[in-house]
Amino acid sequence: MFSTLDRKVLFALVLPFASLACSSGADGTGGDGGAGGTGGTGGATTTSVTEGGGGSGGKPEKCDGPGYGGDEKDVTVGTLKANIIDQNGMPAVQTAAQVCGTDICLAEVTNNAGSVTVVANQSLKKPAFKYGDGYVYAKVAILLDGGDATFTDLITAKLPIVDFSDPFASGESVTSGDVTIEIPPEGEAIIDELLYPETADQVFRTAVLPLSTNDPGVDASLDFKAFYGAAPLETVFCPPAKVRVANKAGLEAGAAVEFWIQGLDALQHWAPYGEWVKISDGAVSDDGTEIVTADGQGFPVLSTFAIRLK
């Protein structure tokens, strides 16, 4: 039996034989191969990165992202070791840990101590270490510059367990923790059903990711004031959805802000792979209670995101 994380790997393995034309994106890059299974005693599961069938593959053309990439450099990656903990300092157990380029993805799973070793020993295009599965734990990416690497106490966040929640619906809002998403009356939310085939996994969930000055997944120069993991990842909002975030950061009322997302998808529809990109302006409400995306802007896609002062 394949787990939900294995389904995208199975698709990635079968798709090239079913349709050679879908083996790469329009810009010459491949897609994200998914979590890739456990690897077991035989080592990390290796998959080619190919276009997925949900999300960007099934949405109307008007909902497609601007597209990034196309000139990725080959980098030789050796062995990566990491210890991963959640926001409470507990080991992030049995969660995906991947070394993925825009062409190939090697996947392992953390052990019960939150530790993992991924042996690559090969050249990848713009490789990144991605930890967290987007189901139980928030997903974060760290771009790799080659060779061996060791990361100690990387922090993800355990996403809340939700038995039931209202689904995304036109003209409705849905809330998880500090974050509310409002779908416009004429809008729709397009969930990547290849990544999230089960209805129970399609529930909106968020968790606060701790901000650390030495977090290699965050560009310190961006000076983020709030940092969130979210699911279901790669959900496309067409047109973009308004987002409201409780002002737990204590930003000044009326302050202008920017919302940024991290590119976790190797297809790079909405953000450069492994990098951060601004997706919306916003402001703190006049009463200082919440941070809201600007009218006419908002979130076109759901990903790990952060907020900074403009």
Side-chain angles (χ1 to χ4, degrees), residues 4 13 19-20 35 42 54 59 73 101 132 136 142 144 153 163 193 195 231 234 245 258 268 276 281 291 293:
T4 55
L13 293 172
S19 175
L20 293 175
K59 65 183 180 300
K73 306 303 183 198
V136 179
I142 302 170
L144 301 174
D153 289 343
D163 293 329
E193 294 184 353
L195 285 173
E234 309 305 332
V245 180
E258 297 173 342
Q268 304 183 94
W276 288 87
D281 291 306
I291 308 167
T293 53

Side-chain angles (χ1 to χ4, degrees), residues 173-191:
S173 64
V174 60
T175 299
S176 174
D178 296 344
V179 186
T180 296
I181 288 185
E182 300 178 3
I183 310 298
E186 74 285 7
E188 60 180 327
I190 306 163
I191 295 173

Side-chain angles (χ1 to χ4, degrees), residues 231-290:
L233 293 170
E234 309 305 332
T235 296
V236 173
F237 302 108
C238 183
K242 180 179 285 293
V243 172
R244 300 178 180 275
V245 180
N247 185 18
K248 299 291 183 63
L251 302 182
E252 183 179 354
V257 303
E258 297 173 342
F259 289 81
W260 290 57
I261 60 169
Q262 188 175 40
L264 302 174
D265 181 6
L267 286 174
Q268 304 183 94
H269 288 298
W270 299 100
Y273 183 56
E275 300 180 44
W276 288 87
V277 66
K278 174 186 168 183
I279 58 166
S280 182
D281 291 306
V284 181
S285 61
D286 290 340
D287 62 4
T289 61
E290 59 182 4

Side-chain angles (χ1 to χ4, degrees), residues 119-192:
V119 180
N121 291 335
Q122 62 182 289
S123 179
L124 305 173
K125 291 186 180 298
K126 198 179 183 182
F129 176 54
K130 297 192 289 190
Y131 56 97
D133 52 16
Y135 291 82
V136 179
Y137 295 95
K139 183 179 284 191
V140 182
I142 302 170
L143 286 173
L144 301 174
D145 55 10
D148 299 332
T150 299
F151 298 106
T152 303
D153 289 343
L154 292 176
I155 303 176
T156 179
K158 198 165 189 178
L159 295 166
I161 298 173
V162 179
D163 293 329
F164 175 80
S165 178
D166 292 332
F168 293 121
S170 299
E172 302 293 337
S173 64
V174 60
T175 299
S176 174
D178 296 344
V179 186
T180 296
I181 288 185
E182 300 178 3
I183 310 298
E186 74 285 7
E188 60 180 327
I190 306 163
I191 295 173
D192 190 330

Side-chain angles (χ1 to χ4, degrees), residues 44-55:
T45 299
T46 305
T47 65
S48 296
V49 176
T50 59
E51 177 90 51

